[in-house]
Every structure is written in structure tokens, then in C-alpha cells.
């Protein structure tokens, strides 16, 4: 059985190597997204393309360091940016600020992990919920942020 006392400790080494890149990429994506949202919809496409490219850079780095839940969040954010760009989802200032909040939450969560806090990806659920609601998802559940360890045998019964 795995509990909080016996849970494997998150290895902060790989994350510490790419944290500044992740932080910078999310900051550039946020700034470009907010700039796009302030424009008329006909003038948003290029800025949204740049915002998505910056987010994709952060998402790729996060996949390399395998931080539970965070990749799910940035993947949903990439989908939102793609829909903003193709016009199937309006890029409003409110939507852009919700995305900016998601970016900030990701950075704060990663910084907490680096300072030794336990990995608790469900803490990011409010941001995940908001972006999935923006996307019109049918199912929104906190368990989507959890990774299952299929290497641990499960015994049923007593």
C-alpha cells in the first residue's frame, strides 16, 4: 500500500534544469495571449500562433520531466489556444485571463515541488476544470490529473 509516508519522493533534479525555460515560455505565451485577446478577432491569429508555440515549448519540457497532472493541464491549454486560433472558440479577455491564471498556477506548483512540497496535482483541478469548461468538455473530473501506478499489485478482499 502506498500512502503519503511511503510515496516515492519527487525527483526535483530534472525539473530544476528546465524550470527557467518553462517559466519563461509560459510567461511569453501569457503575454502574447493577453495581447491577442485585446485585439479584434480578425487580428488575433498570428499572436495566438506565437502563444501556442511558447506553450508547446513549456509542454514539451514538462513531458520530459514527467510531473504528474501538469502535462494534462498544458495539453488542455494547447487545445484551447488551437481553438482560439481557428475561431471555434472566441479569444476574449476573460478567456485569456483564465488561461493566464492556469499558467501562473502551473509555475507556482512547480516552484513548490522544487522547494520540497509533496506532489499533489489535484490542487491544480480548479484550473483544469476552468479550461475544460471553456472547451465544452462533457466530463470534468479531478482524477484526470492523477497518474496510476500500474506496477503496484492491488489485492482485493481481506
Amino acid at each position: 500500500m502506498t500512502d503519503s509516508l511511503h510515496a516515492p519522493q519527487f525527483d526535483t533534479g530534472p525539473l530544476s534544469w528546465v524550470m527557467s525555460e518553462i517559466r519563461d515560455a509560459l510567461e511569453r505565451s501569457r503575454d502574447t495571449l493577453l495581447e491577442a485577446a485585446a485585439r479584434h478577432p480578425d487580428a488575433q491569429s498570428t499572436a495566438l500562433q506565437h502563444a501556442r508555440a511558447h506553450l508547446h515549448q513549456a509542454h514539451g519540457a514538462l513531458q520530459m520531466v514527467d510531473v504528474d497532472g501538469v502535462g494534462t493541464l498544458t495539453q488542455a491549454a494547447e487545445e484551447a489556444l488551437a481553438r482560439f486560433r481557428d475561431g471555434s472558440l472566441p479569444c476574449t479577455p476573460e478567456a485569456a485571463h483564465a488561461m493566464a491564471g492556469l499558467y501562473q498556477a502551473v509555475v507556482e506548483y512547480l516552484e513548490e515541488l522544487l522547494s520540497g512540497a509533496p506532489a499533489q496535482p489535484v490542487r491544480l483541478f480548479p484550473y483544469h476544470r476552468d479550461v475544460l469548461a471553456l472547451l465544452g468538455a462533457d466530463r470534468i473530473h479531478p482524477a484526470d490529473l492523477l497518474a496510476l501506478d500500474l506496477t503496484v499489485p492491488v489485492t482485493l478482499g481481506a
Side-chain angles (χ1 to χ4, degrees):
M1 181 171 129
T2 301
D3 58 32
S4 62
L5 295 176
H6 299 95
Q9 188 70 10
F10 178 75
D11 180 8
T12 60
L15 178 59
S16 67
W17 299 330
V18 295
M19 185 61 199
S20 65
E21 177 184 326
I22 292 167
R23 186 183 303 107
D24 292 346
L26 289 175
E27 185 177 299
R28 288 190 304 270
S29 182
R30 180 202 64 215
D31 292 348
T32 308
L33 174 59
L34 292 172
E35 176 187 314
R39 295 180 180 177
H40 187 275
D42 293 337
Q44 293 177 337
S45 182
T46 300
L48 289 170
Q49 180 179 349
H50 291 295
R52 187 167 182 219
H54 294 306
L55 176 58
H56 188 72
Q57 180 182 3
H59 179 69
L62 286 164
Q63 285 181 311
M64 289 184 342
V65 298
D66 194 28
V67 179
D68 289 346
V70 179
T72 302
L73 210 61
T74 55
Q75 183 176 354
E78 277 197 74
E79 176 65 24
L81 287 176
R83 290 193 193 176
F84 290 158
R85 185 160 186 260
D86 72 17
S88 63
L89 190 62
C91 181
T92 64
E94 295 79 19
H97 284 285
M99 296 284 288
L102 179 149
Y103 292 173
Q104 184 62 36
V106 165
V107 169
E108 289 174 5
Y109 179 72
L110 296 174
E111 288 173 346
E112 289 172 7
L113 287 177
L114 286 173
S115 69
Q120 298 174 332
V122 175
R123 288 184 36 231
L124 297 169
F125 179 68
Y127 305 96
H128 184 60
R129 179 194 59 222
D130 291 350
V131 74
L132 290 182
L134 188 67
L135 293 168
D138 292 330
R139 180 185 176 281
I140 302 172
H141 196 277
D144 296 337
L145 297 171
L146 300 174
L148 296 176
D149 184 356
L150 300 176
T151 63
V152 176
V154 176
T155 54
L156 299 175

